[in-house]
Amino acid sequence: MSAVPEARIPHHPLISLDPAERLRHARGQSLPDWVEMRSGRVRTFPAGVATPQSEDDIRALFDYAREHGVVLIPYGGGTSVVGHINPEPDAPPAVTVDLSQLSELEYLDETSRLATFGAGVRGPLLEAALRARGYTLGHFPQSFEYSTLGGWIATRSSGQQSLYYGRIEDLFAGGRMVTPAGTLDMPPYPASAAGPDLRHAVLGSEGRMGIITRAIVRVSPLPEAESFHGVFFPAWEAGVEAVREMVQARLPLSMLRLSNAAETEANLTLAGRETFVNFAHRGLGLLGHERGEKCMLVIGATGSSRSVRQARREANYIARRHGGLPVGPMMGTIWLKSRFRTPYLRNTLWETGYAVDTLETIVPWADIPRTAEAVINSLHRASEALGERVYVFAHLSHVYPTGASIYVTVIFRVQPDPDHTLEHWRRMKCAASETIVAHGGTISHQHGVGTDHAPYLAAEKGPLGIGLLQAAIRHCDPTGILNPGKLVAGVDARTVEGDAPC
Ligand SMILES: Cc1cc2nc3c(=O)[nH]c(=O)nc-3n(C[C@H](O)[C@H](O)[C@H](O)COP(=O)(O)OP(=O)(O)OC[C@H]3O[C@@H](n4cnc5c(N)ncnc54)[C@H](O)[C@@H]3O)c2cc1C
């Protein structure tokens, strides 16, 4: 077990040097983070953890960082899965800036349906404050319990019901970012033609430009009705076509989550509903489909009772035309109950010797079947080269009229030597990332860039785009004290030209 090394930074009243605090803030939730934390081989720790209570505290921390050659890592809930919040090796000492104290609902403008929150507010607290007044933000990433509003904005997060409520960029109306170069105020204009929208520079900034202290978000009245129901399809392709038709018909749905056959089987088995699979087999058989692969779609509808009923009817109509078998609310209810609990299976699987990782991208509809297949195959091939077998499954979860995100889960053996587990993961991650880039997919639909995806960013932004990002970061943070190594780090001329970094 690695000991937390002695902190060698000058005293500051806002900064705790407590080893437990430093350990707690040392890592996020990526697979390498897990391996390090579980094996006790954590290579880098923050030198301290600051908990500012105000914007003035944050400015004081900027002064401290400049004066003492320290870097600052903004920290929301620490749920990053791509290495956003880890101190860099061979870098100046890092102080993690935990924003949990900035968490108040400051103002609710019910007429305009705008709510102003401290950006460190976590999902449950934010929803509780709004629900008490009859509103919701409707942003429910699977990490909802721990992640924060500022983290969602800084990573361009997407919630499970984004089809109805929108992604965080649709919900983020304005606010304030305190940077080492000054303060950026973003008024909540409903729309504006006054040049590029700077709110979009803040979205996805990953703590590199400044610290988002306050966010104004668009809220909705609590919905009158909500329903989640299941449909089984005889094949993945049929399900994909049905989902595409549903979203392009612009039905008032809140979620369309289509699992491939492997994920369907895994989900039903984990939910203890094998009998349900048999029922689906029999039902699809009656509809004339051979026994074979079954793919489950969970359809969510949110809104007025009337619109929910109508959306469900129309979605089922489209599903049936593609050979789907609507099976009522049971599977939807199971999904709803376990939607924030499923990630904890990772703990149980780890105890039994298996690691779980996920990756995601988005491509246009026309490219979905071959991209999904290629990514899954790349994981198998990278593992076979090491003599390992893996269990891989996928689903489409965030759908748009022009395309859908592909979310892949891979389960693989934990090796006795943590370095071997990491090496297996690294090979799979490289193979899948290269496949995503080769198929024209974005390196991330919702998890962000951090360190794990930074080498692939240039492939989609190009040299000019990377230069623009670097210039914006330099402008806000001229001495480079904020979260170095994330987002645009590790991008060099070689990767800009498209060479694989692994
Ligand atoms: C089990 C699990 C499920 C997940 N499911 C989803 C999902 O459904 N959808 C999804 O989009 N993501 C998901 N994620 C990923 C993660 O939860 C998101 O990236 C989330 O937005 C991170 O928020 P956070 O508050 O935890 O930020 P952190 O992890 O603390 O930080 C992430 C980045 O944001 C920066 N940052 C945080 N707060 C601020 C601030 N106030 N100002 C400036 N920069 C800031 C940090 O410096 C860092 O670069 C999941 C993660 C886990 C572990």
Side-chain angles (χ1 to χ4, degrees):
M1 172 92 168
S2 37
V4 182
E6 198 187 324
R8 294 178 192 281
I9 52 170
H11 169 78
H12 189 285
L14 287 170
I15 301 175
S16 161
L17 307 183
D18 174 27
E21 276 296 290
R22 290 166 57 212
L23 174 62
R24 209 169 62 74
H25 290 83
R27 290 293 175 275
Q29 293 290 324
S30 74
L31 196 281
D33 293 345
W34 257 63
V35 174
E36 285 194 38
M37 291 299 268
R38 291 266 165 167
S39 65
R41 292 193 193 174
V42 182
R43 284 167 303 147
T44 56
F45 291 88
V49 177
T51 32
Q53 315 271 335
S54 67
E55 291 178 352
D56 281 344
D57 283 352
I58 290 172
R59 292 187 191 100
L61 288 169
F62 289 162
D63 292 340
Y64 171 89
R66 273 187 294 249
E67 191 181 336
H68 298 290
V70 165
V71 299
L72 303 175
I73 302 179
Y75 183 100
T79 65
S80 162
V81 285
V82 291
H84 280 122
I85 47 139
N86 303 4
E88 292 275 277
D90 309 320
V95 169
T96 298
V97 183
D98 183 326
L99 296 156
S100 55
Q101 295 304 302
L102 308 180
S103 61
E104 294 294 303
L105 169 58
E106 293 173 18
Y107 184 59
L108 176 63
D109 172 351
E110 297 196 47
T111 310
S112 316
R113 294 188 181 163
L114 291 170
T116 305
F117 278 97
V121 64
R122 286 185 178 186
L125 202 60
L126 175 144
E127 275 299 322
L130 290 177
R131 269 161 201 262
R133 310 276 293 268
Y135 293 89
T136 177
L137 179 61
H139 189 73
F140 303 111
Q142 209 175 28
S143 57
F144 171 77
E145 293 164 300
Y146 295 101
S147 53
T148 63
L149 178 54
W152 299 338
I153 296 163
T155 60
R156 295 188 86 99
S157 156
S158 196
Q160 290 164 334
Q161 285 165 268
S162 63
L163 190 54
Y164 180 78
Y165 293 106
R167 288 165 61 89
I168 198 68
E169 55 259 43
D170 305 309
L171 301 170
F172 174 55
R176 180 177 291 171
M177 182 166 76
V178 178
T179 84
T183 297
L184 181 68
D185 275 308
M186 296 162 280
Y189 300 124
S192 165
D197 191 336
L198 296 179
R199 291 173 289 195
H200 279 270
V202 172
L203 283 155
S205 55
E206 302 196 350
R208 294 286 326 250
M209 292 183 189
I211 295 186
I212 304 155
T213 52
R214 162 189 293 182
I216 307 171
V217 285
R218 302 180 173 110
V219 298
S220 308
L222 285 167
E224 185 184 56
E226 200 153 55
S227 94
F228 295 90
H229 66 283
V231 175
F232 280 100
F233 285 94
W236 166 251
E237 293 75 13
V240 172
E241 279 306 293
V243 169
R244 180 174 68 82
E245 202 176 315
M246 286 174 202
V247 66
Q248 289 180 342
R250 298 191 188 270
L251 302 186
L253 297 168
S254 59
M255 191 188 80
L256 287 166
R257 183 189 163 111
L258 177 71
S259 300
N260 73 359
E263 184 173 293
T264 301
E265 198 126 7
N267 281 347
L268 292 169
T269 308
L270 288 170
R273 291 293 189 277
E274 292 96 328
T275 46
F276 216 70
V277 186
N278 293 333
F279 164 73
H281 277 309
R282 277 204 309 278
L284 286 165
L286 288 174
L287 291 178
H289 301 295
E290 295 297 308
R291 284 180 77 90
E293 291 194 336
K294 305 287 168 277
C295 295
M296 191 178 77
L297 170 67
V298 177
I299 301 178
T302 301
S304 68
S305 304
R306 193 165 150 268
S307 75
V308 165
R309 258 199 319 275
Q310 190 186 339
R312 197 169 50 214
R313 210 172 26 244
E314 289 183 27
N316 282 346
Y317 173 73
I318 293 174
R320 282 198 188 91
R321 279 205 292 105
H322 290 274
L325 175 69
V327 290
M330 187 201 276
M331 290 320 298
T333 308
I334 291 172
W335 173 84
L336 189 64
K337 274 193 185 151
S338 59
R339 69 168 162 169
F340 304 128
R341 276 194 236 142
T342 320
Y344 296 105
L345 272 173
R346 193 173 166 185
N347 304 41
T348 314
L349 280 167
W350 187 276
E351 299 305 331
T352 59
Y354 292 93
V356 184
D357 196 31
T358 60
L359 52 98
E360 34 86 49
T361 183
I362 182 165
V363 290
W365 284 107
D367 298 329
I368 282 176
R370 64 193 154 124
T371 308
E373 193 184 345
V375 173
I376 291 171
N377 288 342
S378 75
L379 293 166
H380 284 294
R381 270 200 307 274
S383 303
E384 278 159 18
L386 291 173
E388 288 292 320
R389 289 174 63 202
V390 289
Y391 190 57
V392 187
F393 47 82
H395 65 252
L396 305 185
S397 49
H398 298 272
V399 297
Y400 307 84
T402 56
S405 69
I406 302 167
Y407 190 97
V408 179
T409 302
V410 54
I411 302 178
F412 59 106
R413 267 195 326 150
V414 175
Q415 304 289 341
D417 182 342
D419 286 340
H420 293 166
T421 308
L422 272 181
E423 179 57 14
H424 185 183
W425 170 82
R426 198 189 65 79
R427 294 222 198 166
M428 288 193 292
K429 184 76 180 170
C430 281
S433 301
E434 284 173 10
T435 306
I436 285 170
V437 170
H439 282 74
T442 176
I443 199 60
S444 177
H445 165 265
Q446 67 201 55
H447 289 159
V449 179
T451 46
D452 294 354
H453 294 153
Y456 305 93
L457 191 65
E460 62 190 75
K461 303 286 185 219
L464 188 63
I466 292 292
L468 275 172
L469 279 176
Q470 284 169 332
I473 290 169
R474 258 197 308 275
H475 186 71
C476 294
D477 179 22
T479 54
I481 55 175
L482 282 173
N483 213 6
K486 318 297 158 49
L487 186 62
V488 287
V491 178
D492 57 22
R494 194 171 60 88
T495 52
V496 167
E497 281 155 19
D499 274 355
C502 49

